[in-house]
C-alpha cells in the first residue's frame, strides 16, 4: 500500500535532523497566537510538548484525565533516563546509543528516528537540569550515572528510584508556567473520546468533562496524541489503573494506522500475583539486577517444598541453586535485556521450578551484594525499593531473597507515525509511548523517558511548526461544522447506550476476562493455535460485553464506571488487533515470541528476509478485518545480526 | 477477615453527605485497602447501587491521586505510605473502619471520597518553577556542579507527591508543607536560586488567597506526610519569604 510515507530527509544519517531543522518551515511569532494546538495527554511527552509549544507562543489546549497533569503515569518510572553524554568516559557516543537502541529493538525500528533520538538525548539532560530536576550527583557535585540492562556503558541518569517523578515534575512546572502566562489552557479531568476531521485533516476532539459529564467540542489546527501505552489491555500490568488506549484507538479509527501492536514488553522483575483480588502489578526497578542474582532451585522437590512453606530459600545449599541467567548467558548474566530475562523465568517456572504458591515466581537474591557492600551499602543504593517490597509483601528482602515474576510493562507498538511524528491523518501527531516509533520490537531500560521528552521538547516543536506554516491564513476553526456535530453524536450515542443497557455484569468482569485471554494466548509466548483461539474468544467477550455490561449511576455526573466502560470497549477491539498482528508475524523478535520460531537452544529466531517491516494496520469498519500495510525497514548504517547475549 | 466499613457518601458538592455502613466478609489480609474498596464496589454495582467514588491511579504511592481519611488519619494508620499502599493486614478481623474524604475549605468534595485539589496546581502556577524555556542550547548539565548535600536535600523536598494529606490533617487546613517543599526544592539549587524570593512571595500569597489556613507550627503535617517531607522546609521557606517581604517593603 502506498500510503505509508516515512518522510525521512535525504542525506547521511548523522546530518538528517540538522538539515531538517535548517530547512523546516516556521510560523512567524505574531501568527502563532492565532493557531490552536490540542495536546491530549500531559505525561512526559504531552507535558513537554504543551509547555514547549506554549513557550513558542502557540495557543495550546492540553487534556488529561487525572485531576492534575502532575499525576500522569510517567510519574511512576523508577530507574532512569538514558543520554549519550559520555560523562563516564566509557566510550559512549550518539552512534553507540543509536546502535544499542536498534540492536536492543531487535532490528525492527527505523534508523533515522532512532538516530535523532540518540542525537537529542544529551539536550534532554541539559534542559532538565536547567529546570531544577534534582538528579543524583557524585560528591564532586557532578551528575552520577548507572548502567541499565542490555548495554555495556553507564549512560543512565537517575534520581534515586523516582526518576520519572522528577522528570515529570520538571515538565509539569514548565507547563504550569505557561498556564500562568495564558499560552496553555489546561483541561484536567477530561477524557478525549473522538478525533474530529474536517476536509481530511485533524481539526479537533470531542472530550467528556469527567466531573460534570458534559460532552464538549474543542477545535484546533493540529492535534497531538500523547496518551501513553496500552499495557492495561492485559488487565494486570505495571501501568496505572487509568492508563488506556482510547485516544490512540480513536486515532486509528479516524484513519491513522496502528503499528506493531504485538510488540509488548514484559518486565522481568515485578512482584508476583497473590490472588484474584489483584488490581495491578508492581515493578521492582530493573536496576536491582545490577547487584541481585536471579535463581531457582535445581531440584523440583526443593521448589515444591518452598511453595508449600516447608522450606525457605535459605535452606537451599549453594550447589542446589540454579543461577539460570548466569548459566545461559555468561557474558551478560543477570543483565540480559528484559525479553530474554522474562522468557528465561517463564521457562524455569513452566518446567516446575517456580518458588511460590502459584508456581510463578523466581528469587532475586541480594545475599552476595550484602556480603560485598554491607547492608548499609545495599540500603544506600536500593533502600526505597526494598522498603516498597516489604510494604507490599510483608517480607524483609535483606534477610530473605525477593520473589519476582515478569509482568506486562510497556508497549512498543502504537500509532504509526512518520519522521515528523505525524500519523497518516494530516495534522494528527502521536508522541511518547502512544506512538510506535523508536523502540522496534523491544525497548531498552531507561529509553522511554528519553523518547517521551525527546518527542515533546525537541522534535514536535519543529515538526508541528513545519506543518502549521501552511495554516496561518486558516483562521479559527469553528466547532459548528457538521463534522463536530457528527463526532459529538457518536460519543453521545455510545454514552446513552451504556447508560441504558440493562446488563448484569460489571466492566471489570469483562476487563479481567479479556486480560486472561491476552496473557495466556498473546503474552510472553504465542503460537498459531492459541492466537486463533484468542481471536474467537475475544469476539465472544466483545459480544457479551455489549449485551451484558452494567453501568450504574447517571451520565451527567462523576461516573467512574462509565469512564471505564469506554476504555474497556476499546481494549477489547485492540486485543483482537494484537492477536492478528502476532499471528501475522511468523518470526520471533524482541517482545514477540512465537513458539514455532526458535533455535534449537530455545532462543528467539528472527526472519529478516520476510519480516523486516513495520506492520501498520488500517481500520476498515467495526466488523471488517483490518488491512495490513507494510513499511519496509531499510538498514543502511547497521548490519542486521542475530542478537546474542551469551 | 470480616470488616465493617463506615463510608462517607456525598452525591456532589451540594449534597450534605452522610456515613453509610457496609459489611465486608472474606477479606484477604494480602489485599490492598483499595482492592478491598474494589470488592465493595463490585458488590454495590451488582446489587444495583451506586459504587463509592474514590481517586486513585498508580496504586504504588507515587502519583498522589489517592486520598481518603481512614480512621481519622489521612492515608490510614501506617506511617510513610499512601492509601494505595495500605494493606488489609494492618487491620484485625472484626474491625470497624471509618473512611472519609480529605476535608479542607480549599478542597471541595466532588463526590463521596473524591475532592478537588486543583488549588495545589494554582499555587505552583504562580511561581513553582525555574523560568527557563525549552532550547537545544541550554548550557551543559555538568557546567555547574551542585554540592551533593544540596542536591540530595532538594531531591528530598521534590519527592512531595501533592496528595494534600498535610492540608487534610492540619487543624488550620494550611498548605504550608506542600508550598514549602516546592520553594525549598528550587531554592536549594543554583538554577532556582535566582527567583527564590519572588517565588516564595507569590506562592505564599496565592496560598492565602485560595483559602488555606495559617501555619501555627503544630507539626501534624510532617507526621502524616506519606513522603516524610520535613518541617525544615518551612523554616527555609520562611527565610526566602522574609527576605522577599523586606525587599518589597523598601
Ligand atoms: C512502573 C513503571 C516504571 C517505569 N520505569 C521507567 C524507567 O525507569 N525508565 C524509562 O525510560 N521508562 C520507564 N517506564 C516507561 C515510561 O514511564 C513510560 O513509557 C512513559 O512515561 C510514558 O510517557 P507518556 O508521556 O507517553 O505517557 P503517560 O505518562 O502515560 O501519560 C499519558 C497522558 O495521557 C493522558 N490521557 C490518556 N488517555 C487520555 C484520554 N483519552 N483523554 C485525555 N487524556 C488522556 C493521561 O491523563 C496522561 O496525562 C516505566 C513504566 C512503568 C509502568
Ligand atoms: S507535603 Fe507530604 S502530605 Fe503534603 S502534599 Fe506533599 S507529599 Fe502530600
Ligand atoms: S494511587 Fe497513586 S499514590 Fe496512591
Amino acid at each position: 500500500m502506498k500510503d505509508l510515507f516515512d518522510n525521512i530527509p535525504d542525506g547521511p544519517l548523522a546530518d538528517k535532523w540538522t538539515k531538517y531543522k535548517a530547512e523546516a518551515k516556521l510560523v512567524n511569532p505574531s501568527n502563532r497566537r492565532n493557531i490552536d494546538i490540542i495536546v491530549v495527554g500531559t505525561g512526559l511527552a504531552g507535558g513537554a510538548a504543551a509547555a514547549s509549544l506554549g513557550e513558542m507562543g502557540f495557543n495550546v489546549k492540553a487534556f488529561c484525565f487525572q485531576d492534575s497533569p502532575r499525576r500522569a503515569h510517567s510519574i511512576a518510572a523508577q530507574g532512569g533516563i538514558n543520554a549519550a553524554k559520555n560523562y563516564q568516559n566509557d566510550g559512549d557516543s550518539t552512534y553507540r546509543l543509536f546502535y544499542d537502541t536498534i540492536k536492543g529493538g531487535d532490528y525492527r525500528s527505523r534508523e533515522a528516528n532512532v538516530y535523532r533520538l540518540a542525537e537529542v538525548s544529551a539536550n534532554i539532560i541539559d534542559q532538565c537540569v536547567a529546570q531544577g530536576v534534582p538528579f543524583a550527583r557524585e560528591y564532586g557535585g557532578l551528575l552520577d550515572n548507572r548502567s541499565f540492562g542490555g548495554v555495556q556503558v553507564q549512560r543512565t541518569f537517575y534520581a534515586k528510584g523516582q526518576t520519572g517523578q522528577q522528570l515529570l515534575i520538571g515538565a509539569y512546572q514548565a507547563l504550569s508556567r505557561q498556564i500562568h502566562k495564558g499560552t496553555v489552557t489546561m483541561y484536567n479531568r477530561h477524557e478525549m473520546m473522538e478525533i474530529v476531521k474536517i476536509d481530511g485533516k485533524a481539526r479537533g476532539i470531542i472530550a467528556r468533562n469527567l466531573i460534570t459529564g458534559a460532552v464538549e467540542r474543542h477545535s484546533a489546527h493540529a492535534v497531538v496524541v500523547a496518551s501513553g501505552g496500552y499495557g492495561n489491555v492485559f488487565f494486570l500490568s505495571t501501568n496505572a489503573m487509568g492508563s488506556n488506549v482510547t485516544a490512540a484507538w480513536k486515532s486509528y479509527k479516524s484513519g491513522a494506522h496502528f503499528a506493531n501492536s504485538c510488540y509488548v514488553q514484559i518486565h522481568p522483575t515485578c512482584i508476583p500475583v497473590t490472588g484474584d483480588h489483584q488490581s495491578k502489578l508492581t515493578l521492582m526497578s530493573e536496576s536491582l539486577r545490577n547487584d541481585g542474582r536471579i535463581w531457582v532451585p535445581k531440584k523440583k522437590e526443593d521448589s515444591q517444598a518452598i511453595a508449600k512453606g516447608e522450606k525457605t530459600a535459605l535452606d537451599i545449599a549453594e550447589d542446589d541453586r540454579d543461577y539460570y541467567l548466569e548459566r545461559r548467558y555468561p557474558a551478560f548474566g543477570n543483565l540480559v535485556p528484559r525479553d530474554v530475562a522474562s522468557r528465561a523465568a517463564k521457562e524455569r517456572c513452566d518446567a516446575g521450578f517456580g518458588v511460590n504458591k502459584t508456581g510463578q515466581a523466581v528469587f532475586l537474591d541480594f545475599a552476595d551484594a550484602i556480603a560485598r557492600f554491607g547492608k548499609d551499602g545495599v540500603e544506600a543504593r536500593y533502600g526505597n525499593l526494598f522498603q516498597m517490597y516489604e510494604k507490599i509483601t510483608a517480607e524483609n528482602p535483606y534477610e530473605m531473597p525477593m520473589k519476582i515474576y515478569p509482568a506486562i510493562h510497556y508497549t512498543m507498538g502504537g500509532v504509526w507515525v512518520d519522521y515528523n511524528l505525524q500519523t497518516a491523518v494530516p495534522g494528527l501527531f502521536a508522541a511518547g509511548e502512544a506512538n510506535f516509533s523508536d523502540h522496534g520490537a523491544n525497548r531498552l531500560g531507561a529509553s522511554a523517558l528519553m523518547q517521551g521528552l525527546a518527542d515533546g521538547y525537541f522534535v514536535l516543536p519543529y515538526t508541528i511548526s513545519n506543518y502549521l506554516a501552511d495554516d496561518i491564513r486558516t483562521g479559527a476553526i469553528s466547532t459548528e461544522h457538521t463534522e463536530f456535530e457528527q463526532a459529538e453524536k457518536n460519543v453521545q450515542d455510545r454514552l446513552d447506550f451504556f447508560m441504558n443497557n440493562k446488563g448484569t455484569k460489571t466492566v471489570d468482569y469483562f476487563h479481567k476476562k479479556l486480560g486472561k485471554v491476552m496473557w495466556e494466548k498473546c503474552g510472553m509466548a504465542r503460537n498459531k493455535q492459541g492466537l486463533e483461539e484468542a481471536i474467537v474468544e475475544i469476539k465472544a467477550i466483545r459480544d457479551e460485553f455489549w449485551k451484558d455490561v452494567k453501568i450504574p449511576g447517571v451520565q451527567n455526573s462523576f461516573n467512574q464506571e462509565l469512564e471505564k466502560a469506554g476504555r474497556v470497549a476499546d481494549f477489547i477491539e485492540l486485543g483482537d488487533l494484537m492477536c492478528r498482528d502476532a499471528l501475522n508475524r511468523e518470526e520471533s523478535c524482541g517482545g514477540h515470541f512465537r513458539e514455532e520460531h526458535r533455535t534449537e537452544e530455545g532462543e528467539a529466531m528472527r526472519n529478516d528476509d520476510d519480516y523486516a517491516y513495520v506492520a501498520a494496520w488500517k481500520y476498515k469498519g467495526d466488523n471488517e478485518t483490518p488491512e495490513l500495510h507494510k513499511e519496509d525497514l531499510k538498514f543502511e548504517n547497521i548490519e542486521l545480526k542475530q542478537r546474542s547475549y551469551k | 477477615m470480616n470488616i465493617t466499613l463506615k463510608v462517607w457518601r456525598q452525591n456532589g458538592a451540594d449534597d450534605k453527605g452522610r456515613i453509610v455502613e457496609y459489611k465486608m466478609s472474606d477479606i484477604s489480609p494480602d489485599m490492598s485497602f483499595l482492592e478491598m474498596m474494589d470488592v465493595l464496589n463490585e458488590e454495590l454495582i451488582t446489587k444495583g447501587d451506586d459504587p463509592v467514588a474514590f481517586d486513585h491511579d498508580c496504586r504504588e504511592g507515587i502519583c498522589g491521586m489517592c486520598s481518603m481519611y481512614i480512621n481519622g488519619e489521612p492515608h490510614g494508620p501506617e506511617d510513610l505510605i499512601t492509601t494505595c499502599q495500605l494493606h488489609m493486614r494492618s487491620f484485625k478481623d472484626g474491625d470497624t473502619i471509618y473512611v472519609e474524604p480529605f476535608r479542607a475549605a480549599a478542597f471541595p468534595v466532588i463526590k463521596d471520597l473524591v475532592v478537588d485539589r486543583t488549588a495545589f496546581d494554582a499555587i505552583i502556577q504562580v511561581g513553582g518553577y525555574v523560568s527557563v524555556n525549552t532550547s537545544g542550547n541550554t548550557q551543559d548539565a555538568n557546567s555547574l556542579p551542585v554540592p551533593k548535600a544540596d542536591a540530595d536535600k532538594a531531591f528530598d523536598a521534590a519527592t512531595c507527591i501533592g496528595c494534600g494529606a498535610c492540608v487534610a490533617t492540619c487543624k488550620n487546613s494550611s498548605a504550608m508543607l506542600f508550598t514549602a517543599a516546592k520553594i525549598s526544592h528550587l531554592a536549594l539549587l543554583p538554577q532556582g536560586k535566582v527567583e527564590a524570593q519572588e517565588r516564595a512571595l507569590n506562592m505564599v500569597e496565592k496560598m492565602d488567597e485560595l483559602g488555606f489556613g495559617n501555619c501555627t507550627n503544630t507539626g501534624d503535617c510532617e507526621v502524616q506526610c506519606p513522603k516524610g517531607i520535613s518541617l525544615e522546609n518551612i523554616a527555609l521557606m520562611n527565610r526566602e519569604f522574609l527576605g522577599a517581604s523586606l525587599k518589597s517593603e523598601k
Side-chain angles (χ1 to χ4, degrees), chain A residues 55 172-173 241-242 392 506, chain B residues 42 57 89 121 134 182 185:
Chain A
E55 287 161 9
Y172 162 72
Q173 289 175 186
M241 300 297 287
I392 295 175
T506 65
Chain B
E42 290 290 291
D57 199 24
R89 64 177 89 92
D121 291 325
T134 306
K182 184 49 59 195
H185 156 211

Side-chain angles (χ1 to χ4, degrees), chain A residues 40-47 63-66 69 72-82 148 163-164 168 190-193 226-229 238-240 242-247 280 283 285 338 409-410 431-434 443-450 452, chain B residues 60:
Chain A
V40 179
T42 46
L44 286 184
F63 294 78
C64 75
F65 66 77
Q66 292 92 346
H73 173 56
S74 293
I75 201 114
Q78 301 170 353
I81 176 166
N82 289 331
F148 239 59
T163 316
L168 183 65
H190 272 68
E191 179 138 329
M192 182 280 225
M193 315 221 17
S227 53
T238 62
N239 288 5
S243 297
N244 69 88
V245 77
T246 293
K280 75 154 276 169
L283 170 83
S285 169
R338 294 173 173 178
H409 178 58
Y410 181 87
E433 195 174 337
R443 172 175 71 77
L444 289 178
S447 284
L449 301 180
M450 170 175 73
Chain B
E60 52 186 66

Side-chain angles (χ1 to χ4, degrees), chain B residues 56-66 82 84 161:
Chain B
H56 65 104
D57 199 24
C58 73
R59 294 206 178 185
E60 52 186 66
I62 191 74
C63 74
M65 187 103 180
C66 63
T82 52
C84 60
I161 57 174

Side-chain angles (χ1 to χ4, degrees), chain A residues 52 55 66 68 70-71 85 87 126-127 132 141 143 172-173 177 180 189 241-242 279-280 392 506 560, chain B residues 35 42 54-55 57-60 63-64 89 121 125 128 133-135 140-142 146 160 162 182 185:
Chain A
S52 306
E55 287 161 9
Q66 292 92 346
S68 162
R70 69 178 295 147
R71 308 207 199 281
K85 277 287 197 186
Y87 283 161
D126 300 340
Q127 184 67 35
L143 294 165
Y172 162 72
Q173 289 175 186
R177 177 167 163 248
H180 187 56
R189 291 201 199 261
M241 300 297 287
S279 60
K280 75 154 276 169
I392 295 175
T506 65
Q560 290 170 312
Chain B
E35 285 167 350
E42 290 290 291
F54 62 89
D55 267 331
D57 199 24
C58 73
R59 294 206 178 185
E60 52 186 66
C63 74
R89 64 177 89 92
D121 291 325
Q125 281 159 17
N133 281 358
T134 306
S135 100
D140 182 83
N142 260 352
V146 180
C160 162
K182 184 49 59 195
H185 156 211

Side-chain angles (χ1 to χ4, degrees), chain A residues 52 55 65-71 75-76 78 85 87 123 125-127 129-135 137-143 159-160 162 165-166 169 172-174 176-180 188-189 211 238 240-243 274 277-283 387-388 390-394 457-458 504 506 508-509 550 552-553 558 560-561, chain B residues 28 30-32 35 38-39 42 45-60 62-65 79-81 85 87 89 110-111 114-118 120-121 124-126 128-136 138-142 144-148 151 154-156 158-163 178 182 185-186 189 191:
Chain A
S52 306
E55 287 161 9
F65 66 77
Q66 292 92 346
D67 67 338
S68 162
R70 69 178 295 147
R71 308 207 199 281
I75 201 114
Q78 301 170 353
K85 277 287 197 186
Y87 283 161
N123 283 340
I125 303 304
D126 300 340
Q127 184 67 35
V129 166
Q131 289 172 340
V133 170
F135 284 119
R137 288 178 184 268
E138 295 166 348
Y139 284 99
L142 301 181
L143 294 165
K160 281 214 180 132
Q162 287 109 296
Q165 178 192 32
Q166 295 309 318
I169 295 296
Y172 162 72
Q173 289 175 186
S176 296
R177 177 167 163 248
Q178 294 311 307
I179 294 172
H180 187 56
N188 299 326
R189 291 201 199 261
I211 298 179
T238 62
M241 300 297 287
S243 297
T274 59
H277 54 261
Q278 194 99 20
S279 60
K280 75 154 276 169
L281 297 169
T282 304
L283 170 83
Q387 201 186 11
M388 180 164 100
E390 187 166 359
K391 273 175 202 156
I392 295 175
T393 62
Y457 285 134
F458 298 117
T504 63
T506 65
D508 277 2
Y509 165 86
K550 174 171 182 161
F558 191 78
Q560 290 170 312
E561 287 297 304
Chain B
S28 151
D30 284 337
M31 274 185 194
S32 73
E35 285 167 350
D38 292 342
V39 172
E42 290 290 291
I45 299 166
T46 312
K47 273 199 306 206
D49 290 343
D50 204 24
V52 180
F54 62 89
D55 267 331
H56 65 104
D57 199 24
C58 73
R59 294 206 178 185
E60 52 186 66
I62 191 74
C63 74
M65 187 103 180
D79 288 342
L80 294 175
I81 58 168
Q85 293 172 298
H87 281 72
R89 64 177 89 92
I110 293 174
K111 186 176 181 188
V114 176
V115 299
D116 179 354
R117 285 168 289 185
T118 45
F120 270 6
D121 291 325
I124 300 294
Q125 281 159 17
V126 297
Y129 37 76
V130 176
S131 297
V132 57
N133 281 358
T134 306
S135 100
T138 321
Q139 66 174 341
D140 182 83
N142 260 352
L144 200 59
V146 180
K148 182 167 164 45
F155 170 83
D156 287 343
T159 57
C160 162
I161 57 174
C163 64
F178 166 80
K182 184 49 59 195
H185 156 211
L186 295 173
L189 297 171
Q191 292 83 3

Side-chain angles (χ1 to χ4, degrees), chain A residues 26 167 207 211 243 285 396 480 512 551:
Chain A
L26 301 174
L167 296 173
I211 298 179
S243 297
S285 169
N396 179 349
E480 298 304 314
K512 286 183 180 174
I551 309 298

Side-chain angles (χ1 to χ4, degrees), chain B residues 167-236:
Chain B
V167 174
T169 197
C170 173
K171 67 178 170 45
N172 309 318
S173 298
S174 169
M176 208 63 155
L177 194 62
F178 166 80
T179 309
K182 184 49 59 195
I183 289 171
S184 354
H185 156 211
L186 295 173
L188 284 160
L189 297 171
Q191 292 83 3
K193 189 71 198 157
V194 184
E195 300 166 276
Q197 296 193 348
E198 200 188 332
R199 174 182 307 121
L201 201 63
N202 291 341
M203 289 175 70
V204 171
E205 225 171 70
K206 191 70 182 178
M207 184 176 86
D208 294 342
E209 180 192 316
L210 289 165
F212 291 103
N214 289 325
C215 173
T216 53
N217 292 312
T218 60
D220 271 357
C221 51
E222 183 185 44
V223 176
Q224 293 295 349
C225 172
K227 296 295 145 181
I229 301 294
S230 152
L231 283 178
E232 267 179 55
N233 290 303
I234 297 186
L236 202 146

